[in-house]
CSV table of all heavy atoms in Angstrom, one decimal:
chain,number,residue,atom,x,y,z
J,162,LEU,N,60.8,124.3,318.5
J,162,LEU,CA,59.7,123.3,319.0
J,162,LEU,C,60.3,122.2,319.7
J,162,LEU,O,59.6,121.8,320.8
J,162,LEU,CB,58.9,122.8,317.7
J,162,LEU,CG,58.3,123.8,316.8
J,162,LEU,CD1,57.6,123.1,315.5
J,162,LEU,CD2,57.1,124.5,317.6
J,163,ALA,N,61.5,121.7,319.4
J,163,ALA,CA,61.9,120.5,320.1
J,163,ALA,C,62.6,120.8,321.4
J,163,ALA,O,62.8,120.0,322.2
J,163,ALA,CB,62.8,119.8,319.1
J,164,ALA,N,63.3,122.0,321.4
J,164,ALA,CA,64.0,122.4,322.7
J,164,ALA,C,63.6,123.7,323.3
J,164,ALA,O,64.2,124.7,323.0
J,164,ALA,CB,65.6,122.4,322.3
J,165,PRO,N,62.4,123.6,324.0
J,165,PRO,CA,61.8,125.1,324.4
J,165,PRO,C,62.8,125.8,325.3
J,165,PRO,O,63.7,125.1,326.1
J,165,PRO,CB,60.7,124.5,325.2
J,165,PRO,CG,60.3,123.1,324.7
J,165,PRO,CD,61.6,122.5,324.4
J,166,GLY,N,63.0,127.0,325.1
J,166,GLY,CA,63.8,127.8,325.8
J,166,GLY,C,65.2,128.0,325.4
J,166,GLY,O,65.9,128.8,325.9
J,167,LEU,N,65.6,127.3,324.3
J,167,LEU,CA,67.0,127.3,323.8
J,167,LEU,C,67.0,128.6,323.0
J,167,LEU,O,68.2,129.2,323.1
J,167,LEU,CB,67.3,126.1,323.0
J,167,LEU,CG,68.8,125.7,322.9
J,167,LEU,CD1,69.4,125.5,324.3
J,167,LEU,CD2,68.8,124.3,322.1
J,168,ILE,N,66.1,128.9,322.0
J,168,ILE,CA,66.3,130.0,321.4
J,168,ILE,C,65.3,131.1,321.9
J,168,ILE,O,64.1,130.9,321.9
J,168,ILE,CB,65.8,129.7,319.8
J,168,ILE,CG1,66.9,128.8,319.2
J,168,ILE,CG2,65.6,131.0,319.0
J,168,ILE,CD1,66.5,128.4,317.7
J,169,ARG,N,65.9,132.1,322.5
J,169,ARG,CA,65.2,133.1,323.3
J,169,ARG,C,65.1,134.4,322.6
J,169,ARG,O,64.2,135.3,322.8
J,169,ARG,CB,65.7,133.3,324.6
J,169,ARG,CG,65.7,132.2,325.6
J,169,ARG,CD,66.4,132.3,326.7
J,169,ARG,NE,66.2,131.4,327.7
J,169,ARG,CZ,66.9,131.1,328.6
J,169,ARG,NH1,68.2,131.7,328.9
J,169,ARG,NH2,66.8,130.3,329.7
J,170,GLY,N,66.1,134.6,321.6
J,170,GLY,CA,66.0,136.0,320.9
J,170,GLY,C,66.8,135.7,319.5
J,170,GLY,O,67.2,134.7,319.1
J,171,PRO,N,67.0,136.9,318.9
J,171,PRO,CA,67.5,136.9,317.5
J,171,PRO,C,69.0,136.4,317.4
J,171,PRO,O,69.3,135.7,316.6
J,171,PRO,CB,67.5,138.3,317.2
J,171,PRO,CG,67.2,139.1,318.3
J,171,PRO,CD,66.5,138.3,319.3
J,172,LEU,N,69.8,136.6,318.5
J,172,LEU,CA,71.1,136.1,318.5
J,172,LEU,C,71.2,134.5,318.6
J,172,LEU,O,72.0,133.9,317.9
J,172,LEU,CB,71.9,136.7,319.7
J,172,LEU,CG,73.3,136.9,319.5
J,172,LEU,CD1,73.7,137.6,318.2
J,172,LEU,CD2,74.1,137.4,320.7
J,173,ASP,N,70.3,134.0,319.4
J,173,ASP,CA,70.2,132.6,319.4
J,173,ASP,C,69.9,131.9,318.1
J,173,ASP,O,70.3,130.9,317.6
J,173,ASP,CB,69.2,132.2,320.5
J,173,ASP,CG,69.7,132.4,322.0
J,173,ASP,OD1,71.0,132.3,322.2
J,173,ASP,OD2,68.9,132.7,322.8
J,174,GLY,N,68.7,132.6,317.6
J,174,GLY,CA,68.3,132.2,316.3
J,174,GLY,C,69.4,132.3,315.2
J,174,GLY,O,69.6,131.4,314.3
J,175,MET,N,70.2,133.3,315.3
J,175,MET,CA,71.3,133.5,314.2
J,175,MET,C,72.3,132.3,314.4
J,175,MET,O,72.8,131.9,313.4
J,175,MET,CB,71.9,135.0,314.7
J,175,MET,CG,72.8,135.3,313.6
J,175,MET,SD,73.3,137.1,313.8
J,175,MET,CE,73.9,137.5,312.2
Side-chain angles (χ1 to χ4, degrees):
Chain J
L162 298 174
L167 200 58
I168 295 179
R169 291 170 166 157
L172 204 57
D173 292 329
M175 195 171 195

